[in-house]
Amino acid sequence: MKDSSQEKKRKRSEMTDNERVRDFQRKLYRKAKQEPDFRFYVLYDKIGHLHFLRESYRRVKVNRGAPGIDWMTFERIEEEGLEEFLLKLQKELKEKTYRPQPVKRVHIPKANGGTRPLGIPTIRDRVAQMSCKLVIEPIFEADFDDASFGFRPKRSAVDAVSEIKQRLKEGMTEVLDADLSKYFDTIPHDKLLKLLAMRVSDKHVIHLIKLWLKTPVIEDGKMSGGKKSKIGTPQGGVISPLLANIYLNLVDRLVRDHKAFSSVEIIRYADDFVLMSKQIGKGVIHALTSLLNRMGLVLNEDKTRLIQVRDEPFDFLGFTFHYRKSAFDEDEQYLSIHPSKFAFQKIVANIREELIYYRNRNSKETVKMLNYKLRGWLNYFTIDGVSYMGIPRRKLRIYLRDRLFRHQKRKSQRYRYAYCRRTFRRWVEKHGLVDPESYGIVGTVNA
């Protein structure tokens, strides 16, 4: 028995931080799945374990991100000593003297011309939040509904889009395209904490999350929020997407189980969701509005639409879902799923802006930048057997050919037309520029 225990310890010591974290998560998930009413009571000490903190730092660094209000960067932390940084954080968590620093708020542009507030915690607070997330996420992951796809392990927008296609094929062509008004800013703290307490009885973990919910926000030198804050979780925090999913899981479950939503399916990605059915009556919309109001949430009436997809398209996660008339039979329609008009305009505008910045750079650097953007865009929107990319790929290729001609032309007042005109093809052949028409397609040169 003693030898078996020593062998187990030896094997654990040989495991990487990531393996030890995953091993612990699997145990928690199994327990939570087997006992839906079980409340976990000893979790706080795990958050401060060094292997959790090391793995948390690694994941936070992979996600990159700007520094918080203390301007501490990853480079500076490692120059001054990463081990010392983590030991100090561990001590604060262990002695329960840890207090989060204020969150820096910035605004990023939105598609409608407005801005979206984004909170940037310090790296120290991001590491602490990540460690907490690694500990509690498996518990709630066991409870989450299959209709939720955003910010979850082994789930993505690809799965959500594929699910919508499947539902449309089943005849659920009436869609309520819902939009919540300022969801992250309106989550009620008291109701969220009650949902957390239904699964986590460790008061120290609950207190830690409460500290993050009530962290002050600094914007343009002015501080707001703090202890008096009763609603909202800053977008940008590591733990915010998990908290958002925990709260909206209540909507997923009620749509699945409540008789008012009989024959209605929900597909959700974070705070974006659609209700789908063969017919969605006023009673369904009323029940959804009533449910959200009780949760302290509000439907954005200007952006929420009830659509019959066979008559008009709708956009979700950057894709347009549209029934088109068949070229062979006017009475037949086929479903087309492709990048939305805005998604195409966004990548084009982004390439145009970057090429201005790269005008004085050499060809290899410019190609490297373009490939990074093109691969990301094409990989996201190309879903085998789901999305149709023929026309978008062709349009993107035509745009690149014309834009690179202008780019090369403007580098010198004395240019050769034929030389500039061949820039796209030359960069593809010489520097490995991604050709949108062939990238990722088996059997092509650029695959």
Side-chain angles (χ1 to χ4, degrees):
M1 194 77 177
K2 187 177 179 181
D3 292 340
S4 176
S5 177
Q6 287 177 345
E7 187 179 348
K8 193 173 181 181
K9 286 181 179 180
R10 182 181 62 78
K11 286 182 178 179
R12 188 176 297 165
S13 66
E14 291 172 358
M15 295 168 71
T16 65
D17 292 328
N18 182 43
E19 288 170 338
R20 291 185 68 181
V21 167
R22 287 184 180 277
D23 183 58
F24 178 76
Q25 288 180 319
R26 278 192 291 269
K27 292 173 182 176
L28 276 185
Y29 179 84
R30 289 193 196 105
K31 179 72 173 177
K33 202 71 175 174
Q34 290 167 2
E35 301 183 42
D37 297 323
F38 186 80
R39 297 175 73 210
F40 293 79
Y41 48 88
V42 184
L43 296 173
Y44 183 80
D45 62 316
K46 311 295 187 298
I47 296 171
H49 279 188
L50 265 182
H51 62 273
F52 267 92
L53 293 177
R54 281 195 298 264
E55 178 61 17
S56 298
Y57 178 84
R58 186 187 69 81
R59 296 193 185 195
V60 168
K61 187 179 178 181
V62 167
N63 292 335
R64 295 179 292 182
I69 61 160
D70 62 354
W71 292 104
M72 184 67 78
T73 62
F74 294 106
E75 292 77 17
R76 186 177 161 191
I77 287 171
E78 290 168 16
E79 282 175 9
E80 295 179 1
L82 174 58
E83 196 71 14
E84 186 180 340
F85 169 82
L86 295 176
L87 285 170
K88 183 180 179 183
L89 178 57
Q90 182 191 43
K91 184 181 178 183
E92 290 177 0
L93 289 167
K94 188 176 181 179
E95 296 177 354
K96 300 180 180 63
T97 57
Y98 167 82
R99 295 294 180 273
Q101 295 172 281
V103 172
K104 180 170 69 175
R105 175 173 284 170
V106 296
H107 290 266
I108 56 176
K110 287 175 67 175
N112 59 8
T115 59
R116 184 191 302 276
L118 184 70
I120 305 177
T122 61
I123 292 175
R124 163 183 170 270
D125 293 331
R126 274 181 260 171
V127 172
Q129 286 186 27
M130 179 63 81
S131 189
C132 181
K133 177 177 177 284
L134 292 176
V135 171
I136 69 171
E137 185 176 51
I139 298 168
F140 294 98
E141 187 62 32
D143 296 337
F144 285 160
D145 194 273
D146 289 340
S148 170
F149 295 92
F151 304 108
R152 293 182 60 189
K154 299 180 181 179
R155 286 180 164 240
S156 66
V158 169
D159 302 310
V161 173
S162 301
E163 186 69 15
I164 290 176
K165 180 179 181 180
Q166 181 59 35
R167 298 302 176 191
L168 290 171
K169 286 175 68 177
E170 292 170 5
M172 296 185 176
T173 55
E174 194 142 294
V175 174
L176 182 69
D177 183 11
D179 185 88
L180 294 175
S181 294
K182 299 180 179 178
Y183 171 62
F184 282 85
D185 296 333
T186 56
I187 300 175
H189 294 174
D190 56 344
K191 294 177 181 178
L192 173 61
L193 291 169
K194 283 179 182 177
L195 283 176
L196 285 164
M198 289 174 69
R199 271 307 217 167
V200 177
S201 63
D202 190 325
K203 63 181 182 180
H204 301 301
V205 174
I206 300 296
H207 176 69
L208 191 60
I209 293 171
K210 193 174 181 180
L211 286 176
W212 289 322
L213 289 173
K214 297 187 179 295
T215 303
V217 174
I218 291 182
E219 183 179 0
D220 298 329
K222 296 180 181 178
M223 188 176 292
S224 60
K227 292 182 180 180
K228 294 182 180 180
S229 175
K230 295 182 179 180
I231 59 172
T233 174
Q235 282 183 266
V238 173
I239 204 166
S240 294
L242 174 61
L243 298 179
N245 269 337
I246 290 170
Y247 198 57
L248 275 183
N249 187 54
L250 192 58
V251 175
D252 300 338
R253 290 168 60 185
L254 284 171
V255 171
R256 184 78 67 197
D257 301 331
H258 200 282
K259 63 181 181 180
F261 298 99
S262 177
S263 75
V264 174
E265 294 288 341
I266 183 172
I267 296 167
R268 183 173 64 81
Y269 190 93
D271 58 329
D272 293 326
F273 66 93
V274 292
L275 297 187
M276 304 182 70
S277 183
K278 292 182 179 179
Q279 186 174 7
I280 297 178
K282 291 182 180 179
V284 172
I285 300 173
H286 176 75
L288 177 65
T289 304
S290 176
L291 167 62
L292 293 173
N293 286 341
R294 289 201 304 273
M295 293 175 66
L297 306 175
V298 179
L299 270 179
N300 187 331
E301 294 182 3
D302 294 332
K303 294 183 179 180
T304 299
R305 301 187 302 151
L306 182 60
I307 301 160
Q308 173 49 253
V309 187
R310 290 195 176 276
D311 298 328
E312 61 176 314
F314 78 97
D315 293 346
F316 188 69
L317 299 178
F319 289 84
T320 293
F321 298 80
H322 188 199
Y323 274 92
R324 298 179 182 274
K325 287 185 179 180
S326 171
F328 306 101
D329 189 342
E330 291 185 1
D331 296 328
E332 285 189 12
Q333 291 181 317
Y334 69 92
L335 176 62
S336 174
I337 302 173
H338 52 84
S340 68
K341 184 179 178 181
F342 172 73
F344 185 82
Q345 289 173 341
K346 189 175 180 182
I347 182 66
V348 161
N350 194 255
I351 288 172
R352 183 173 61 246
E353 290 170 9
E354 288 290 345
L355 282 175
I356 292 171
Y357 178 74
Y358 274 76
R359 190 168 290 164
N360 296 321
R361 304 282 189 94
N362 63 46
S363 303
K364 287 184 179 180
E365 288 183 42
T366 308
V367 167
K368 185 178 179 181
M369 174 274 294
L370 288 171
N371 282 352
Y372 177 78
K373 294 185 179 299
L374 291 169
R375 286 194 183 107
W377 195 84
L378 291 166
N379 287 341
Y380 177 80
F381 285 104
T382 304
I383 309 174
D384 288 341
V386 177
S387 63
Y388 174 69
M389 290 292 291
I391 293 175
R393 282 173 177 268
R394 199 172 306 124
K395 285 171 64 179
L396 189 54
R397 186 184 193 275
I398 291 169
Y399 173 79
L400 277 172
R401 188 189 64 198
D402 293 343
R403 177 52 59 181
L404 292 180
F405 164 73
R406 296 181 189 183
H407 173 76
Q408 200 73 352
K409 176 183 170 183
R410 287 172 180 169
K411 294 187 84 168
S412 173
Q413 291 181 345
R414 300 176 66 184
Y415 70 93
R416 288 178 293 158
Y417 181 88
Y419 179 81
C420 296
R421 197 65 186 168
R422 289 196 300 268
T423 299
F424 174 77
R425 177 48 56 193
R426 191 173 62 255
W427 284 12
V428 168
E429 295 172 353
K430 187 178 178 180
H431 302 303
L433 174 65
V434 163
D435 184 343
E437 275 203 290
S438 58
Y439 173 76
I441 300 174
V442 177
T444 60
V445 176
N446 210 194

